[in-house]
Amino acid sequence: MAQCEVCGNDYDMSFEVHAQGAVHTFDCFECAIQMMAPICEHCGVRIVGHGVEADRRWYCCAHCARSEGESTIVDRADIPVQQGLRQGVAKTARR
């Protein structure tokens, strides 16, 4: 068994993540995300999905990047920046 670096749980199904020359041990994805996922520079959420990067700063979406002055970032490459801004770049939940 191995102990989770985040919560300290000693778990028989723990796993390792090898990243940037280091090895980390976790008991669940939640702990791995808490420790390793980047944080959006605008809204502060952990970036679990694709995220966007501009000038070495990470954002969870194009809206947050634009809110911080990154004017050329869009969520989808097939929508021009101006059109995305006009439509408010609203994200809707899929059911």
Side-chain angles (χ1 to χ4, degrees):
M1 293 202 307
Q3 189 172 20
C4 177
E5 292 179 26
V6 175
C7 69
N9 186 26
D10 198 13
Y11 187 48
D12 67 331
M13 294 180 64
S14 62
F15 59 94
E16 293 180 346
V17 174
H18 297 246
Q20 299 179 346
V23 179
H24 301 281
T25 303
F26 305 106
D27 70 335
C28 62
F29 288 119
E30 289 87 355
C31 286
I33 289 166
Q34 183 65 32
M35 179 176 228
M36 300 192 75
I39 297 171
C40 178
E41 301 242 1
H42 179 72
C43 71
V45 303
R46 296 267 176 200
I47 303 167
V48 179
H50 58 83
V52 293
E53 180 186 7
D55 297 323
R56 308 189 111 191
R57 297 176 68 196
W58 282 95
Y59 304 97
C60 64
C61 63
H63 168 78
C64 283
R66 285 194 303 272
S67 294
E68 294 293 317
E70 299 297 337
S71 60
T72 60
I73 298 204
V74 294
D75 281 318
R76 292 193 342 238
D78 60 338
I79 297 179
V81 172
Q82 294 79 16
Q83 182 180 351
L85 290 174
R86 241 188 341 267
Q87 293 176 356
V89 191
K91 291 185 176 183
T92 57
R94 295 182 189 179
R95 295 179 187 215

